[in-house]
Amino acid sequence: FVFDSLTVIMLVVVTFVSALVHLYSTGYMEGDPHVPRFMSYLSLFTFFMVMLVTADNFIQMFLGWEGVGLCSYLLITFWFTRV
């Protein structure tokens, strides 16, 4: 993993925005029976975003990129129900 000045700035931005989203989500999801699953998707998204930002080679970057895509899909389809 690489920690140069650009990486540190991006880590601060990613963790700050992620913290705000987590705080907002705790109030927004209050009363929902599936809060643990939603929060795990959100935390996994943050993990893969940090992995993407700190990637040292293309394989780590690819895994971070694909993880962010997977978690985005899981978060977007969280409330999807078939009719």
Side-chain angles (χ1 to χ4, degrees), residues 14-45:
V14 166
T15 53
F16 179 72
V17 170
S18 176
L20 290 179
V21 170
H22 276 79
L23 286 173
Y24 180 79
S25 296
T26 55
Y28 185 78
M29 296 290 291
E30 189 175 350
D32 193 293
H34 304 290
V35 172
R37 183 168 51 107
F38 181 81
M39 288 299 177
S40 66
Y41 291 163
L42 201 56
S43 298
L44 200 59
F45 179 86

Side-chain angles (χ1 to χ4, degrees), residues 1-12 53-56:
F1 296 101
V2 174
F3 290 101
D4 57 355
S5 60
L6 178 61
T7 303
V8 171
I9 291 170
M10 288 304 296
L11 279 175
V12 169
V53 169
T54 60
D56 190 22

